[in-house]
Amino acid sequence: MGEEGTEGTVHLLCLAASSGVPLFCRSSRGGTPARQQLPFSVIGSLNGVHMFGQNLEVQLSSARTKDTTVVLLVGLEELTNIRNVERLKKELRTSYRLIDSFLRDSELIGDLTQCVDCVVPPEGSLLQEALSGFAEAVGTAFVSLVVSGRVVAATESWWRLGTPEAVLLPWLVGSLPPQAARDYPVYLPHGSPTVPHRLLTLTLLPGLELCLLCGPRPPLSQLNPQLLERWWQPLLDPLRACLPLGPRALPAGFPLHTDILGLLLLHLELKRCLFTVEPSGAKEPSPEQRRRLLRSFYTLVTAMHFPPEPGQQEEKAEDATHQAQVPRACYLVSGTEEPGTGWRLVALQLGPRRLLLLLSAQSPIHGLRGLASHTLHALTPLL
């Protein structure tokens, strides 16, 4: 596989490792799908680079020029032992929407954090109770409510799904075109990479879907409108209250400081996160720019300051002195530190939770840690 960026266009190219036959190429420009495809000569060159390195027992991870970056990725073993290329090409087409969603400027962040994008419904306990009862009634333990690719509520078994399927399943649902019901075969990369499961989805309200992961049973016909009405009609108002949660993640009226332009809260043990760049009505910077700032800041603090997993850096520490040097907070200012100029980014880690905030230029530098601590304290009961 390879990814190349040229003049704002990103190409995701998948080649058969043994033969170099192109399996698919998906393109995106400026965060939206593009029809521009890589020339066959470029595809051949990428494969030549891969084969040359492979013959020397060298894995090439990236190659860069002034305005181009080529990244080679390792595919699954099933993609390296291909018996029928044309059949594989046909089967891969069902993944195009999911692949394209990773190339777009997504409102989600689970692809980067490997934590499930979640929202906090106003009446979560009622929805959770109904979800558990519905799961028992239809005979499957894996059920969730998903709005715009984010999990509203889920059964305990759904939450126990491993990475990356726990992230990929709601992301897949959010990437598909609207349908009243679906019976979709899915392979679970961690739990069942060779035997497909069935992902059943039922639209309760436009944008809000009930998702079931199951085996041969139940048949989709068993999930009839009468069954859905019995369980979900009494909760119509709480379900409607979930619809605006997609971009905001937090319930309406949740108290946040007016300087907060965006936030990312991660629970590193539960592998769940809350991500929003629309906590207030401020117009600048744009939501797209806010997402880019927070994604870049997350990458920076994870690589430079905080361990990717809770306790990981402490376990690797050679002595207590090194453990004491593990930071708990950091901040970054774009532009100058003068009030009213530049954006402020602050990160705070406390136990299994990590909070990243994007703050307006009016937020004073000396108050960043206090504001982050207060916000994390307020958000802790939610995640």
Side-chain angles (χ1 to χ4, degrees):
M1 288 182 169
E3 183 176 327
E4 178 186 0
T6 56
E7 298 180 357
T9 301
V10 176
H11 302 285
L12 181 64
L13 172 66
C14 181
L15 302 172
S18 56
S19 64
V21 174
L23 300 177
F24 66 80
C25 180
R26 310 300 294 171
S27 302
S28 172
R29 183 177 180 85
T32 58
R35 294 185 178 181
Q36 177 184 351
Q37 297 292 314
L38 284 176
F40 192 79
S41 58
V42 175
I43 294 176
S45 299
L46 288 171
N47 183 59
V49 171
H50 162 71
M51 296 297 292
F52 181 77
Q54 190 177 52
N55 291 336
L56 296 176
E57 297 184 352
V58 174
Q59 180 177 337
L60 180 65
S61 59
S62 65
R64 301 183 180 215
T65 65
K66 182 178 180 181
D67 56 0
T68 302
T69 301
V70 180
V71 181
L72 301 185
L73 308 172
V74 180
L76 294 175
E77 183 178 355
E78 287 77 5
L79 295 180
T80 62
N81 299 319
I82 301 169
R83 294 185 177 88
N84 188 322
V85 171
E86 294 305 316
R87 179 181 176 183
L88 178 61
K89 285 183 180 180
K90 184 177 180 180
E91 291 174 346
L92 286 172
R93 288 174 189 158
T94 61
S95 304
Y96 283 178
R97 283 188 173 270
L98 180 62
I99 292 168
D100 289 346
S101 71
F102 287 119
L103 296 176
R104 289 197 296 266
D105 180 19
S106 175
E107 295 182 355
L108 308 177
I109 201 169
D111 60 320
L112 180 63
T113 64
Q114 289 303 295
C115 293
V116 180
D117 285 279
C118 301
V119 298
V120 180
E123 300 187 63
S125 58
L126 287 176
L127 297 176
Q128 190 66 54
E129 183 179 352
L131 201 67
S132 300
F134 178 81
E136 185 176 354
V138 300
T140 180
F142 301 89
V143 184
S144 68
L145 275 174
V146 175
V147 60
S148 304
R150 301 164 177 86
V151 175
V152 178
T155 60
E156 290 185 12
S157 295
W158 183 285
W159 285 126
R160 286 198 296 266
L161 288 170
T163 304
E165 42 258 46
V167 174
L168 286 175
L169 286 173
W171 194 302
L172 170 65
V173 173
S175 71
L176 296 174
Q179 282 186 289
R182 302 186 193 92
D183 192 336
Y184 207 86
V186 292
Y187 291 86
L188 305 180
H190 176 76
S192 182
T194 57
V195 178
H197 283 61
R198 295 165 63 224
L199 177 65
L200 307 183
T201 69
L202 300 153
T203 298
L204 299 181
L205 292 170
L208 180 65
E209 299 185 71
L210 187 64
C211 304
L212 298 83
L213 186 65
C214 53
R217 301 189 63 82
L220 188 59
S221 58
Q222 179 180 326
L223 307 176
N224 53 64
Q226 291 77 21
L227 179 67
L228 295 179
E229 286 182 10
R230 177 158 61 91
W231 283 98
W232 300 106
Q233 183 69 30
L235 298 176
L236 192 55
D237 288 339
L239 290 174
R240 283 175 176 155
C242 296
L243 298 179
L245 293 177
R248 195 174 191 274
L250 301 172
F254 185 84
L256 285 176
H257 196 282
T258 55
D259 285 349
I260 297 176
L261 302 177
L263 70 84
L264 170 61
L265 174 64
L266 303 110
H267 196 298
L268 300 175
E269 291 179 353
L270 297 178
K271 290 291 185 181
R272 304 177 199 175
C273 68
L274 299 174
F275 180 50
T276 179
V277 293
E278 301 183 20
S280 65
K283 296 182 179 179
E284 295 294 337
S286 67
E288 295 77 16
Q289 187 178 357
R290 296 183 197 188
R291 283 193 289 269
R292 286 194 293 268
L293 286 168
L294 278 168
R295 289 177 72 96
S296 298
F297 188 50
Y298 171 83
T299 302
L300 174 68
V301 299
T302 301
M304 299 292 295
H305 303 300
F306 300 144
E309 304 288 344
Q312 180 172 322
Q313 189 166 323
E314 288 86 343
E315 292 171 5
K316 293 182 178 180
E318 296 179 359
D319 52 44
T321 302
H322 183 78
Q323 291 184 24
Q325 294 174 351
V326 177
R328 295 298 175 216
C330 63
Y331 74 89
L332 179 92
V333 176
S334 65
T336 69
E337 295 193 9
E338 294 298 322
T341 62
W343 313 112
R344 283 83 165 101
L345 289 146
V346 59
L348 179 67
Q349 178 134 343
L350 184 62
R353 293 177 178 84
R354 180 180 304 162
L355 175 67
L356 283 71
L357 295 178
L358 171 64
L359 302 167
S360 69
Q362 285 71 37
S363 192
I365 303 296
H366 63 81
L368 294 182
R369 181 163 184 170
L371 194 158
S373 298
H374 177 78
T375 305
L376 181 57
H377 179 75
L379 291 170
T380 293
L382 304 183
L383 185 64

